[in-house]
Amino acid sequence: EMGRDPARGSLPLSWAFNPNLCLIFPLGMAWARDQRTTNDWFVAGDSGAGYINPGNLTPPRAHSGLPSGLAAWEKHCQQFYRQWDITLTGFIIDGDAPGLSSAGLDAYARFSPDGIIAQKIGRQGVHQGMPYLRMGIDLDGSPADAARAIIKNISGSAPSFSVFRSILKTPTWHTRVQQELEKLEGDKIKVVDLYTLLALVRTSKANAEN
């Protein structure tokens, strides 16, 4: 859909391609970047350069009893993040694993300094300069359904920052969601890319401390 949908480029989209897909489809990774518009942003996919529950890398490791695997995971991710100029992890899959420990957050702050989105984490904050947000609901259904779900799940006084996930939805679908939001809320809700969103979280935290 990235190359064919005429709506691509009309609003910010964060494409969560797992960076180590380059091991099996390097031409696709290069093509996506060659075709990007100024509104197409690339972030790491689920958990980083590989689909894991990183909370299980920190002892006590219930399934293996092995020592910490964080250093190996950090080294692995650093390689692919540098190769593809990625500094943000779009979704950390915590699943049934523990959330990231302090050491786990430290590791992500080094290889994903522009931020992470996770499940088992505080609603928003900054850890060693790395902003983070808790993942909201998955969006599905019609664009009108998705817009109403976004409005229902936004809380807190302005400025408020929220992140939602869509799966296999086209740029046209996302554009229509934005149009529905404008119908219902005017300019109260602004759709931005993940780099901008997490930069705003970082700035908001800094302003609150000054």
Side-chain angles (χ1 to χ4, degrees), residues 1-176:
E1 294 295 344
M2 185 173 182
R4 297 191 298 269
D5 194 306
R8 186 176 60 85
S10 61
L11 82 165
L13 289 175
S14 301
W15 299 87
F17 297 146
N18 187 321
N20 62 356
L21 285 175
C22 66
L23 296 177
I24 59 173
F25 195 37
L27 293 177
M29 295 284 282
W31 178 87
R33 281 156 173 75
D34 183 63
Q35 297 295 312
R36 73 177 294 271
T37 72
T38 55
N39 266 332
D40 293 315
W41 298 82
F42 296 101
V43 302
D46 295 337
S47 296
Y51 195 106
I52 70 168
N53 301 136
N56 277 333
L57 296 173
T58 305
R61 300 179 69 180
H63 303 291
S64 67
L66 292 171
S68 175
L70 275 175
W73 175 243
E74 181 178 349
K75 181 179 179 181
H76 170 78
C77 288
Q78 281 178 337
Q79 172 190 344
F80 291 100
Y81 278 50
R82 287 190 189 120
Q83 181 178 358
W84 295 100
D85 193 25
I86 291 170
T87 55
L88 190 153
T89 306
F91 191 21
I92 292 175
I93 301 269
D94 290 315
D96 293 329
L100 287 171
S101 64
S102 179
L105 289 169
D106 291 349
Y108 273 88
R110 288 187 289 268
F111 69 80
S112 186
D114 282 326
I116 60 171
I117 308 297
Q119 293 173 298
K120 296 179 180 178
I121 201 165
R123 189 181 183 281
Q124 70 181 56
V126 178
H127 179 88
Q128 293 191 356
M130 176 190 70
Y132 60 81
L133 276 173
R134 186 192 307 149
M135 177 60 78
I137 63 168
D138 289 348
L139 301 177
D140 202 0
S142 71
D145 290 338
R148 286 191 290 268
I150 289 171
I151 293 167
K152 181 179 178 181
N153 285 275
I154 288 177
S155 61
S157 58
S160 174
F161 309 106
S162 299
V163 60
F164 304 95
R165 183 173 71 146
S166 62
I167 304 171
L168 301 178
K169 298 297 186 184
T170 66
T172 291
W173 184 88
H174 287 90
T175 299
R176 290 174 179 163

